[in-house]
Amino acid sequence: MTSPADLVVIGGGLIGSALAWGAARAGADCLLLDEGDIAHRASRGNFGLVWLQGKGIDHPDYMHWSIRAGRRWPELARILGEETGIDVGWRGGGLHFCCSEAEREQRRALIARTRAAGGDIRIELLDRDALRQLVPGIGPEVAGASLSNLDGEVSPLFTLRALQQGFRAHGGRLLVNFTASRIGHDPRRGFVVQDAARREVLGRRLVIAAGLGANDLARQIGLEPRLMPERGQIVVTDRVAPFLHHPASAIRQTREGTVLLGSTHEDAGFSTGTDVDAISRLCRIGTRLFPALRNARLVRAWGALRIMSPDGLPIYDEASDFPGGFLVTCHSGVTLASLHALELGPALAQGHLGPAPQSLRSNRVGLHPA
């Protein structure tokens, strides 16, 4: 590139693609850099939930930010469908199953805490009889569930495809197999991003949305996110007759009929492998919730890496020494995609973080040791 783009986004996953789509849709000349298939690709290993129940319960700003995202998801799904013809599979109304009365009481307490924090979300606690009206096939141990009107599901793969296709339709440029390794800043040319072969691209503004690759890149503009991997394993069955029309926190049935069971929370470094113990545990949970799944055939299992900050919350920040250089990272790339696309992307195109909560900057208390 001989002239700088208005905005360069490093990272072609759900976060980067949502930001780039929003910026290009707002009229910015935007360049999206995608590392290609050597990337860890959290977007492709995702369970696909838009999940709000309990999220941010101890951090009200994050709670309200997430709820705001849930409210805007139907709008994003509609716009992407109109622009690209791709149905991203949005379906709302999320269930969290309780397998004992003690678990129901825990959900009751969570609902009370959410209301006390001003969470503008309706969460209904269902007993077993009410739940069976929605989901007749539950197992004998299931005591009830909490049902949220804003929780839902999408296909991560179709969402990623729609965002990138829409991005290009708005004039955005996608550069694949570009692994950003060095970031510099030139007073005349703006941000200079190079790969190992010293190919370079230029941008007046820059967003690092490179998942677990963001640590090294962010340090080069004076930010220190200290991101860590957390492995989650998921299993999927063959197609079975429709029985679950609401996404749930541990199980969901796709529109194609397959059933996803997940997921685990493991400190396994950068391993994306699977193990029999975890797969067995997920299958036991699934058959406990729905005994009929004992007749389903397990066809695949995989592991994927979440992008975790030290306190588990997103980071939205601008480098103080390099104005116009931003970092955006979170482990809720699906849930927050609506806000990243519809609000944050356009704001970054104008050179600011828009409505992103100030309390989610990288210098917050608890993110770094004293």
Side-chain angles (χ1 to χ4, degrees):
M1 291 179 58
T2 58
S3 60
D6 294 331
L7 181 69
V8 172
V9 179
I10 303 176
L14 276 172
I15 295 175
S17 296
L19 296 172
W21 177 86
R25 184 169 178 259
D29 172 27
C30 187
L31 176 65
L32 177 60
L33 305 179
D34 184 1
E35 188 175 22
D37 286 339
I38 63 173
H40 288 293
R41 295 292 194 196
S43 302
R44 294 198 310 206
N46 201 288
F47 200 65
L49 292 181
V50 176
W51 203 254
L52 308 173
Q53 293 187 50
K55 186 164 289 184
I57 195 72
D58 295 315
H59 195 290
D61 284 350
Y62 180 36
M63 175 192 292
H64 296 306
W65 181 244
S66 299
I67 292 172
R68 183 171 175 168
R71 294 196 177 281
R72 300 212 68 176
W73 245 109
E75 179 186 0
L76 177 61
R78 175 185 59 79
I79 293 172
L80 289 175
E82 292 172 352
E83 286 186 355
T84 67
I86 298 172
D87 182 354
V88 300
W90 161 255
R91 181 167 59 174
L95 291 166
H96 178 91
F97 292 106
C98 303
C99 287
S100 68
E101 286 302 320
E103 289 184 12
R104 285 190 75 234
E105 289 307 308
Q106 291 173 1
R107 300 310 287 181
R108 193 187 306 278
L110 181 142
I111 293 169
R113 291 179 63 193
T114 301
R115 289 174 179 164
D120 185 17
I121 178 175
R122 179 166 54 85
I123 307 176
E124 182 181 1
L125 190 61
L126 306 178
D127 61 20
R128 179 176 171 83
D129 290 339
L131 179 59
R132 289 184 66 189
Q133 298 298 313
L134 288 178
V135 193
I138 55 174
E141 295 182 68
V142 179
S146 57
L147 171 65
S148 163
N149 64 318
L150 293 182
D151 289 332
E153 65 178 339
V154 297
S155 164
L157 299 180
F158 283 135
T159 300
L160 182 61
R161 178 184 170 192
L163 286 168
Q164 293 193 354
Q165 185 171 315
F167 166 70
R168 292 193 296 269
H170 288 298
R173 291 171 288 162
L174 175 62
L175 182 56
V176 182
N177 298 323
F178 188 102
T179 303
S181 59
R182 296 182 60 188
I183 299 174
H185 189 271
D186 185 290
R188 295 179 296 105
R189 299 190 299 165
F191 289 94
V192 182
V193 183
Q194 293 183 338
D195 68 358
R198 294 196 176 273
R199 293 183 299 170
E200 65 179 34
V201 298
L202 310 176
R204 296 182 182 88
R205 288 179 285 277
L206 171 79
V207 182
I208 299 171
L212 291 167
N215 282 330
D216 291 339
L217 296 172
R219 291 188 193 104
Q220 297 179 45
I221 60 172
L223 298 174
E224 184 67 48
R226 297 172 61 230
L227 303 174
M228 302 167 291
E230 180 187 85
R231 186 172 71 184
Q233 296 183 52
I234 296 172
V235 299
V236 61
T237 73
D238 57 359
R239 292 177 174 87
V240 298
F243 70 95
L244 182 57
H245 303 288
H246 294 268
S249 53
I251 179 172
R252 74 179 187 93
Q253 186 175 26
T254 68
R255 289 188 298 181
E256 295 78 20
T258 58
V259 179
L260 273 66
L261 303 172
S263 62
T264 62
H265 299 266
E266 305 169 69
D267 181 4
F270 285 86
S271 168
T272 57
T274 59
D275 64 80
V276 173
D277 288 343
I279 292 171
S280 298
R281 186 166 65 253
L282 293 174
C283 290
R284 285 195 299 270
I285 293 171
T287 54
R288 185 184 187 191
L289 297 174
F290 294 96
L293 285 177
R294 294 191 181 101
N295 298 318
R297 185 168 61 97
L298 179 65
V299 296
R300 189 180 170 212
W302 67 84
L305 300 180
R306 300 181 185 91
I307 298 95
M308 301 297 295
S309 67
D311 61 5
L313 301 179
I315 300 174
Y316 302 99
D317 210 352
E318 180 177 11
S320 58
D321 293 336
F322 298 93
F326 299 92
L327 170 66
V328 176
T329 184
C330 70
H331 74 275
S332 299
V334 173
T335 298
L336 297 175
S338 60
L339 286 186
H340 292 163
L342 296 171
E343 299 189 23
L344 188 55
L348 289 168
Q350 297 177 6
H352 58 86
L353 285 164
Q358 289 278 345
S359 60
L360 296 179
R361 303 295 189 258
S362 63
N363 61 351
R364 59 185 179 252
V365 175
L367 191 60
H368 297 287

